[in-house]
Amino acid sequence: MANEKRIQSALVSVYHKQGLAPIAEQFKALGIACYSTGGTATYLRSLGVEVHEVADLTSYPSILGGRVKTLHPKVHGGILARRNQAADLAELEKYDIPPIDLVIVDLYPFEETVASGASETDIIEKIDIGGIALIRAAAKNFQHVTIVPSSHYYGQLAALLESQQGVLSLEQRRELAAAAFEVSSHYDTHIFRYLAPGSDSLKISASRPTRLRYGENPHQQGFFYGRLDEAFEQLNGKALSYNNMVDIDGALQLIDEFELPAFAVIKHTNPCGCAVADKLDEAWHKALAGDPVSAFGGILVANRSIDEQLAADIHKLFFEVLLAPDFSAAALQILKQKKRRILLKRKPFELPARSLKSMLNGYLVQDRDLHSLKVEELQYKSSRKPTQAELADVVFGEKVCKHLKSNAIAIVKNGQLIGSGVGQTSRIDALKQAIDKAQRLGFDLRGAVLASDAFFPFADSVACAHEHGIEVVVQPGGSVRDEETINFCENHDMCLIFTGVRHFRH
């Protein structure tokens, strides 16, 4: 091995001690001198390692309740000394500083403490100072020193010590140094985000990505950075793909809009079926009836538990993913008959308040569209007022339309999406697509509600709706030609409602 260095001394200061035993065995076998403090020293001694206290080296005890233990020239001098510089070695000898060849650190669990809901006092105490300093010092001097920056690397170190008899190459030390700066930068990022949650600075750090089945297409590789295990438990099926993840995200955003039992079918992030009802099985049948063709191979999502009877019905359909808060044991037995079918049990977690997208040579960041329509916000623009049933559909339709790709139109009736126009370059084309879809599936448009994600630039859309029997229209309003639309609705006894909120989605 080129530029190899034999490890003769080590400093160990860790939070998580599990996994140190194989390293301790190598310390004893290779005769590596060990320096440590506090609980780490006690644990290593219990493993039979002869430990030199850092306090004996520095002639200073641990002070300020343990806040200062290793911050001392006799520690950092032994780490930062350049072994190929005569002046550095002379100073080590002059001040009786032993060189340290290996530093093992595992930082206080700051992220975990924040996630636990601990008090700010406890959180601040979990900001590691001495450990970070040790990591940076050892990583900087990787030409001569080996750094192990977290418990994740304990196993790697133990294997190297055993297989290479305590001798590491420059390449191995450099690799661990890079890992050390990844650990320290990740740690600092989360401290910053805790202390300044509203900052304009974009600080993101995520380690150890989940490799997805593939990217948007099979020839593209895809990764997810984050903790999938905090969002859901996978109960069955193949590995997730990039498209699965995008659809799952869209499915969760949609289903969280509803309080009544709700079921939705997602295809390419668009709801192709969605319904609410008094019971979940009724919502499922209504959602599927909204577009049974597009449901094939889709993503299914529910906001209530899946029981045996409902599972038997769902099992008849080929689908990629089913996401729900829970599944009965009998339901799982039915649904797991398809080995590659992905079943996800949702866990309680909050979606981020902002969305992020790479764009050109930078990033686009925006607040997520969290606006939820309230009846008291509605602006009635014509004399004809909605019935209570129509009003319920106005709210339901606006929520569904919010999750369709623009230009978008949703036609709903009795808590069911019966027609949708998505991704069209003109609003009238989106409306015609939605009407055509509803009619082809045999739905009667009389009594339906039309929802639009943005204003109508002309009166042609409400004229088209009227021609096909739709009498209630909800849209944001805001066009310079709103009066034309208002006048048409007034003259044709149509109910026109403005929300004042646009919901573009690209």
Side-chain angles (χ1 to χ4, degrees):
M1 293 185 294
N3 297 297
E4 59 188 28
K5 296 285 183 181
R6 179 174 297 280
I7 294 173
Q8 297 178 295
S9 59
L11 172 64
V12 187
S13 179
V14 301
Y15 184 85
H16 291 104
K17 298 166 183 63
Q18 185 176 1
L20 283 179
I23 295 173
E25 289 303 312
Q26 291 305 309
F27 280 6
K28 291 184 289 183
L30 299 170
I32 296 173
C34 180
Y35 298 87
S36 191
T37 64
T40 305
T42 301
Y43 181 75
L44 288 170
R45 288 192 182 101
S46 74
L47 297 175
V49 177
E50 182 180 349
V51 179
H52 306 284
E53 286 283 348
V54 169
D56 294 336
L57 172 65
T58 62
S59 299
Y60 271 91
S62 172
I63 62 172
L64 306 181
R67 282 190 164 197
V68 180
K69 290 181 284 190
T70 58
L71 295 169
H72 194 280
K74 279 207 167 184
V75 174
H76 285 270
I79 297 169
L80 285 164
R82 292 157 293 190
R83 286 16 173 213
N84 58 354
Q85 298 284 328
D88 284 10
L89 297 177
E91 287 191 279
L92 291 184
E93 185 174 356
K94 178 180 179 180
Y95 296 109
D96 194 24
I97 300 174
I100 295 172
D101 305 319
L102 168 65
V103 176
I104 304 175
V105 176
D106 185 64
L107 298 170
Y108 292 154
F110 179 82
E111 280 183 79
E112 292 84 348
T113 305
V114 172
S116 73
S119 68
E120 178 151 292
T121 298
D122 290 338
I123 289 170
I124 296 303
E125 284 306 309
K126 287 298 186 290
I127 298 178
D128 206 313
I129 302 301
I132 282 285
L134 291 172
I135 286 174
R136 292 179 64 86
K140 176 178 179 176
N141 204 25
F142 71 87
Q143 295 279 351
H144 310 282
V145 177
T146 299
I147 174 63
V148 174
S150 81
S151 58
H152 180 75
Y153 298 94
Y154 289 174
Q156 180 180 345
L157 174 67
L160 289 172
L161 290 176
E162 182 176 11
S163 64
Q164 298 174 187
Q165 294 297 298
V167 178
L168 272 71
S169 69
L170 176 61
E171 182 180 357
Q172 290 165 339
R173 297 194 302 276
R174 186 187 186 96
E175 179 183 327
L176 286 167
F181 284 111
E182 191 277 330
V183 168
S184 65
S185 63
H186 178 83
Y187 196 79
D188 286 343
T189 293
H190 282 274
I191 295 170
F192 169 79
R193 291 177 65 179
Y194 170 75
L195 294 174
S199 172
D200 289 336
S201 295
L202 178 60
K203 302 285 186 183
I204 299 172
S205 181
S207 304
R208 301 180 189 94
T210 299
R211 182 183 289 270
L212 303 174
R213 231 169 47 242
Y214 49 80
E216 202 159 9
N217 298 290
H219 66 275
Q220 296 169 267
Q221 183 60 66
F223 300 91
F224 175 77
Y225 288 86
R227 293 288 303 274
L228 287 176
D229 60 324
E230 293 179 356
F232 47 71
E233 178 185 358
Q234 183 164 350
L235 305 175
N236 190 66
K238 59 191 174 185
L240 293 165
S241 71
Y242 181 98
N243 293 336
N244 291 155
M245 294 295 298
V246 174
D247 284 339
I248 288 167
D249 180 71
L252 290 178
Q253 291 186 50
L254 172 64
I255 208 70
D256 283 348
E257 297 277 2
F258 308 113
E259 296 181 4
L260 286 171
F263 214 111
V265 183
I266 308 297
K267 202 71 174 289
H268 298 296
T269 73
N270 286 298
C272 59
C274 185
V276 294
D278 292 332
K279 295 182 178 180
L280 188 62
D281 59 347
E282 182 185 354
W284 154 247
H285 288 294
K286 289 168 66 176
L288 180 62
D291 191 347
V293 175
S294 296
F296 183 87
I299 306 295
L300 312 184
V301 61
N303 63 357
R304 298 290 194 276
S305 179
I306 307 297
D307 62 20
E308 181 179 9
Q309 181 179 346
L310 181 53
D313 284 338
I314 295 172
H315 180 63
K316 300 171 186 176
L317 177 73
F318 169 74
F319 61 88
E320 281 274 315
V321 179
L322 172 57
L323 179 66
D326 206 355
F327 299 80
S328 72
L332 284 177
Q333 188 173 6
I334 294 170
L335 294 169
K336 283 184 175 182
Q337 292 177 42
K338 301 290 186 180
K339 300 302 182 185
R340 293 173 59 79
R341 175 184 284 163
I342 299 169
L343 303 177
L344 302 176
K345 179 180 176 180
R346 185 179 181 182
K347 295 182 179 180
F349 82 105
E350 291 187 8
L351 291 165
R354 288 183 170 181
S355 63
L356 169 72
K357 181 184 291 187
S358 62
M359 187 64 58
L360 300 175
N361 59 344
Y363 302 93
L364 281 177
V365 179
Q366 67 168 348
D367 297 334
R368 277 204 306 121
D369 186 356
L370 298 175
H371 182 269
S372 183
L373 183 65
K374 296 179 176 59
V375 172
E376 56 268 25
E377 297 174 346
L378 298 177
Q379 306 164 37
Y380 300 99
K381 295 296 180 176
S382 61
S383 299
R384 188 337 195 148
K385 299 299 185 290
T387 65
Q388 285 301 307
E390 290 171 337
L391 189 59
D393 275 339
V394 164
V395 175
F396 172 73
E398 195 267 355
K399 289 181 176 180
V400 174
C401 192
K402 169 183 167 183
H403 295 274
L404 296 170
K405 287 295 193 320
S406 301
N407 286 313
I409 295 290
I411 300 176
V412 303
K413 187 175 180 179
N414 299 325
Q416 178 185 22
L417 177 64
I418 63 173
S420 59
V422 300
Q424 298 302 303
T425 52
S426 73
R427 196 149 301 280
I428 186 66
D429 283 344
L431 175 57
K432 289 177 179 178
Q433 182 189 52
I435 289 172
D436 176 68
K437 192 171 187 179
Q439 290 180 330
R440 281 189 289 108
L441 289 167
F443 289 106
D444 184 356
L445 294 177
R446 290 173 297 178
V449 170
L450 184 158
S452 175
D453 66 335
F455 64 66
F456 294 120
F458 307 102
D460 56 352
S461 292
V462 288
C464 180
H466 177 263
E467 180 185 344
H468 290 85
I470 298 172
E471 297 182 1
V472 181
V473 176
V474 57
Q475 57 136 322
S479 168
V480 295
R481 304 178 73 159
D482 274 347
E483 285 303 316
E484 295 179 17
T485 299
I486 293 171
N487 290 336
F488 183 94
C489 291
E490 184 66 32
N491 293 334
H492 293 81
D493 196 28
M494 294 178 68
C495 173
L496 179 63
I497 301 172
F498 283 4
T499 66
V501 180
R502 190 183 74 183
H503 291 295
F504 271 169
R505 182 171 289 248
H506 295 100

